[in-house]
């Protein structure tokens, strides 16, 4: 089930440098959104900006009928979104796309969640779901990375879940210095990645996803990635979000907004 309607802004506040969380009232999204799915937002009634923008669902509050997304202000669209106040409205279509598939039985699997920048929100929703469904917290490992500390998203929310949490920044301003793959390599070298019952999930910039995917392939770890790509329509009509994937016949293209945004990392052709 999905909605396509104007939704009231409940709150809209800054959470970090140029990063905001907006909470919207939509009982349909709040009840039905699953980890990895997204909503398409439009902020205006005219023609500028012409297209909506996709945002991963971050938190849901089914009892209140609310949900939230995190966005980075860096263009006309997000500048307009940042100006929205409680009582204003935003046009919402969603939830859209597919979700992360949890390897079963979930309670016996080591779930390794890798987030990069604004790729953290769907990772949080997944981590929250796993904990709520009874997966032991020590089996939900989160690696949260960014270029610097003020671009690290959702760190305090992950911490509140009480799961093993690694913060990593490229400049060393918070947590470990380096990249998320450095943490993966370290965990693997210490024998902490249990290949027989491990599942890797990742969301973030394309270069990070490719690096995580290649690490997982090298060490025979199942891996799912949520791609970050422009989705002009969000409904599979414009074909502007095509992702090249391997097929038995060679290759084909899949629409990130319909067949994705979550893909088996081994199927994505990164080159």
């Amino acid at each position: 089930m999905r909605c396509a309607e104007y939704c009231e802004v409940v709150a809209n506040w800054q959470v970090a440098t140029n990063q905001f969380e907006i909470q919207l009232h939509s009982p349909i999204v709040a009840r039905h959104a699953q980890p990895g799915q997204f909503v398409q937002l439009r902020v205006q009634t005219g023609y500028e900006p012409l297209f909506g923008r996709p945002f991963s669902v971050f938190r849901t509050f089914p009892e209140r009928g609310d949900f939230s997304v995190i966005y980075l202000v860096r263009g006309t669209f997000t500048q307009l979104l940042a100006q929205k106040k409680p009582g204003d409205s935003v046009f919402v279509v969603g939830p859209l796309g597919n979700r992360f598939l949890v390897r079963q039985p979930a309670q016996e699997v080591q779930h390794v969640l890798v987030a990069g920048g604004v790729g953290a929100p769907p990772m949080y929703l997944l981590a929250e779901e796993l904990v709520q469904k009874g997966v032991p917290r020590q089996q939900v490992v989160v690696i949260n990375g960014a270029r610097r500390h003020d671009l690290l998203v959702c760190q305090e929310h992950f911490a509140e879940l009480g799961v093993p949490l690694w913060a990593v920044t490229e400049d060393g301003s918070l947590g470990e210095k380096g990249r998320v793959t450095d943490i993966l390599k370290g965990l693997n070298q210490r024998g902490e990645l249990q290949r027989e019952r491990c599942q890797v999930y990742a969301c973030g910039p394309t270069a990070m996803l490719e690096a995580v995917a290649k690490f997982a392939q090298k060490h025979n770890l199942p891996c799912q990635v949520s791609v970050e790509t422009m989705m002009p329509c969000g409904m599979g009509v414009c074909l502007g979000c095509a992702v090249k994937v391997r097929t038995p016949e060679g290759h084909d293209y899949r629409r990130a907004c319909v067949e994705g945004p979550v893909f088996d990392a081994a199927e994505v052709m990164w080159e």
Side-chain angles (χ1 to χ4, degrees):
M1 182 177 291
R2 68 176 58 143
C3 73
E5 61 187 2
Y6 283 97
C7 297
E8 182 181 353
V9 175
V10 178
N12 191 14
W13 67 99
Q14 188 169 0
V15 295
T17 303
N18 294 329
Q19 295 174 13
F20 290 74
E21 180 177 355
I22 187 169
Q23 186 171 327
L24 301 165
H25 183 70
S26 172
I28 290 177
V29 176
R31 287 197 303 267
H32 297 285
Q34 300 182 71
Q37 289 190 303
F38 67 96
V39 291
Q40 194 83 350
L41 304 183
R42 290 193 66 181
V43 295
Q44 81 299 333
T45 56
Y47 296 102
E48 181 62 34
L50 179 60
F51 297 109
R53 299 289 189 275
F55 296 94
S56 296
V57 177
F58 170 37
R59 295 196 287 173
T60 59
F61 309 92
E63 68 285 355
R64 301 201 299 264
D66 298 342
F67 76 97
S68 72
V69 304
I70 286 181
Y71 60 97
L72 179 65
V73 177
R74 55 186 173 188
T76 301
F77 184 96
T78 46
Q79 288 173 359
L80 291 172
L81 192 60
Q83 295 171 14
K84 293 291 183 178
K85 298 178 175 57
D88 291 343
S89 62
V90 173
F91 193 76
V92 178
V93 181
L96 300 169
N98 62 357
R99 62 156 293 155
F100 287 103
L101 297 178
V102 176
R103 187 173 172 182
Q104 299 297 325
Q107 286 76 15
E108 299 178 8
V109 175
Q110 181 188 37
H111 305 275
V112 181
L113 285 59
V114 186
V118 290
M123 294 289 93
Y124 171 78
L125 192 60
L126 176 59
E128 182 184 51
E129 178 188 78
L130 291 170
V131 170
Q132 289 178 347
K133 289 190 174 181
V135 176
R137 284 176 168 80
Q138 67 270 19
Q139 292 174 207
V140 182
V141 179
V142 177
I143 304 172
N144 194 20
R147 286 187 287 112
R148 57 181 192 265
H149 72 94
D150 58 325
L151 298 177
L152 204 61
V153 181
C154 306
Q155 186 70 4
E156 67 279 7
H157 297 288
F158 284 127
E160 289 172 1
L161 289 178
V163 300
L165 173 60
W166 294 84
V168 54
T169 50
E170 292 183 18
D171 66 356
S173 54
L174 183 67
E176 301 291 325
K177 182 177 181 179
R179 300 183 177 181
V180 294
T181 46
D182 295 326
I183 303 301
L184 283 171
K185 292 174 184 176
L187 293 173
N188 185 62
Q189 289 169 356
R190 294 192 297 274
E192 296 180 34
L193 295 183
Q194 304 169 31
R195 293 177 178 82
E196 298 77 13
R197 59 186 191 93
C198 183
Q199 172 69 60
V200 179
Y201 315 83
C203 184
T206 300
M208 186 207 86
L209 296 182
E210 181 178 1
V212 172
K214 289 182 176 179
F215 172 88
Q217 185 175 25
K218 178 180 178 180
H219 298 284
N220 298 313
L221 300 173
C223 178
Q224 298 171 46
V225 295
S226 177
V227 299
E228 290 189 350
T229 182
M230 289 302 297
M231 302 179 190
C233 75
M235 303 291 288
V237 177
C238 72
L239 305 181
C241 62
V243 175
K244 191 175 182 179
V245 298
R246 293 181 179 84
T247 66
E249 296 76 26
H251 73 270
D252 200 351
Y253 291 89
R254 300 284 186 266
R255 297 164 296 176
C257 65
V258 177
E259 288 88 19
V262 178
F263 293 91
D264 183 332
E267 295 179 354
V268 178
M269 300 183 70
W270 303 100
E271 297 77 12

